[in-house]
Amino acid sequence: MSVKLKKISEPLVLGEGPHWDESQQALFFVDILDCCLHKYIPATGEWTKAKIDGGRVGFVVPVEGSKTQFIVGVEKTFKIIEWDGKADVTKDVKVLGSVDQDVDATRINDGKADPRGRIFAGTMGQDDPPGVIAESQGSFYRLDNDGNIKKLCSGIGISNGLAWDIQEKAMYYTDSLEHKIRKYDYNIDTGDISNLKYIFDFKKAGVEGTPDGTTIDTDGNLWIAVFNGSCVIKIDPRTGTLLQKVPIPALQVTSVIFGGPNYDVLFVTSAKINVEGKQQPPSAGCTFMVTGLGVKGLPGYNFRLN
């Protein structure tokens, strides 16, 4: 089977945070800088979007048991919004809490639910000028099912790249400015992480660009979007081996998630941020679907609020 790529959205400013919703057979993702939530249904090709109030939106995750409610990270705040998938605006339902109150100019950048429905999300430093990020200003957090927020670590440049491997009792995480992939021991019962290790180094492996969003397949291998690298890479986190490189016709590849009825489609988001000295291809900022990879991913998790 040959690898095929299809463009499924028009160019966005900063496409990010893809989440495949099994109940609706739909892909949800965000445009961070345009403050919008997007929905794409592969079976029909329907693509809709809605404005989110409050500022830049870093991620979207459905709320368990609802087809119209989502948790989002907007600027420094976790909140639940309502969207029917058709209206051009969303409705605020509930603010759950905020982070980084003692730090200026950070925002929530990426987030996902873990197998127990807790939200793991982090922040990043100010991007000014575009492409130049303030280092060590962000932090990494866990939002528990009871609404409590716990800081897991600080000194983060750009919080990114979450994936869990239950068999390995591992959580994978990325601070993009390190150009490395982190592995933590993960306690599924408590949500606690410990014993930080680095399992892949972009510079040592000769991978140009920086690590961004991450997902995992059923073989336990990681698929990592490479910002400023025009590709997605596949690595074996147990050996630190680079297994595959999938070219993407966008310089700034931002995130990845498996979806489709059989979880054998890799959805890829990208950005078209104007950075001095960087040439952007015509399809920069588009969202893509990649088929024929010969692997399958795992279902994503929804947020559970007690």
Side-chain angles (χ1 to χ4, degrees):
M1 182 181 289
S2 61
V3 176
K4 296 181 179 180
L5 182 142
K6 177 183 177 182
K7 185 177 73 173
I8 62 172
S9 83
E10 293 304 313
L12 309 182
V13 183
L14 181 47
E16 255 284 13
H19 181 98
W20 178 258
D21 186 75
E22 184 171 316
S23 67
Q24 300 187 60
Q25 288 294 295
L27 179 75
F28 291 91
F29 54 105
V30 300
D31 184 335
I32 293 178
L33 298 183
D34 197 35
C35 311
C36 282
L37 171 58
H38 293 255
K39 179 182 182 181
Y40 175 75
I41 303 176
T44 63
E46 182 182 12
W47 170 38
T48 54
K49 68 175 183 177
K51 205 78 172 178
I52 294 177
D53 187 43
R56 297 165 294 181
V57 53
F59 73 88
V60 57
V61 174
V63 174
E64 186 79 16
S66 174
K67 290 187 177 182
T68 60
Q69 289 194 353
F70 306 85
I71 181 171
V72 292
V74 176
E75 295 295 343
K76 299 184 182 188
T77 300
F78 297 115
K79 66 179 180 179
I80 294 176
I81 61 169
E82 184 108 28
W83 187 44
D84 61 4
K86 298 185 181 299
D88 58 5
V89 294
T90 64
K91 177 184 176 182
D92 286 359
V93 175
K94 184 177 184 179
V95 172
L96 299 176
S98 297
V99 297
D100 281 10
Q101 294 303 293
D102 57 341
V103 183
D104 291 332
T106 61
R107 64 168 176 82
I108 295 171
N109 183 62
D110 198 7
K112 287 184 181 178
D114 79 343
R116 293 291 172 85
R118 296 168 287 230
I119 293 292
F120 285 71
T123 55
M124 63 175 281
Q126 186 172 10
D127 186 4
D128 185 23
V132 179
I133 312 297
E135 297 185 11
S136 305
Q137 298 298 301
S139 294
F140 185 44
Y141 297 91
R142 187 184 73 229
L143 172 64
D144 289 329
N145 308 111
D146 61 2
N148 182 60
I149 298 173
K150 180 179 180 180
K151 182 184 288 190
L152 302 175
C153 58
S154 56
I156 301 296
I158 307 175
S159 185
N160 259 320
L162 285 158
W164 288 266
D165 189 327
I166 305 307
Q167 290 184 325
E168 297 285 337
K169 298 181 179 179
M171 187 192 81
Y172 301 101
Y173 174 69
T174 303
D175 175 351
S176 294
L177 297 189
E178 292 181 325
H179 292 86
K180 299 176 183 178
I181 307 301
R182 298 184 179 194
K183 175 187 176 182
Y184 289 96
D185 291 342
Y186 166 70
N187 186 318
I188 190 172
D189 294 319
T190 65
D192 291 335
I193 59 172
S194 59
N195 194 25
L196 166 64
K197 296 179 181 177
Y198 291 97
I199 50 93
F200 188 79
D201 187 314
F202 269 47
K203 294 182 178 179
K204 288 183 178 179
V207 178
E208 185 178 349
T210 57
D212 209 311
T214 300
T215 193
I216 191 168
D217 64 26
T218 56
D219 297 322
N221 294 317
L222 299 179
W223 295 77
I224 303 166
V226 185
F227 193 89
N228 285 335
S230 301
C231 67
V232 172
I233 61 170
K234 174 187 178 182
I235 70 167
D236 184 338
R238 291 147 296 205
T239 63
T241 305
L242 175 62
L243 302 174
Q244 187 176 355
K245 182 181 289 188
V246 180
I248 303 295
L251 175 66
Q252 301 165 339
V253 185
T254 56
S255 197
V256 286
I257 197 71
F258 282 101
N262 300 312
Y263 287 92
D264 57 355
V265 178
L266 185 68
F267 293 96
V268 183
T269 55
S270 72
K272 59 168 186 176
I273 302 170
N274 290 324
V275 178
E276 186 176 355
K278 297 289 185 179
Q279 187 74 27
Q280 297 277 3
S283 53
C286 292
T287 306
F288 308 91
M289 53 188 293
V290 184
T291 55
L293 291 169
V295 298
K296 292 184 178 181
L298 299 164
Y301 307 108
N302 293 339
F303 174 54
R304 302 175 193 167
L305 181 63
N306 293 340

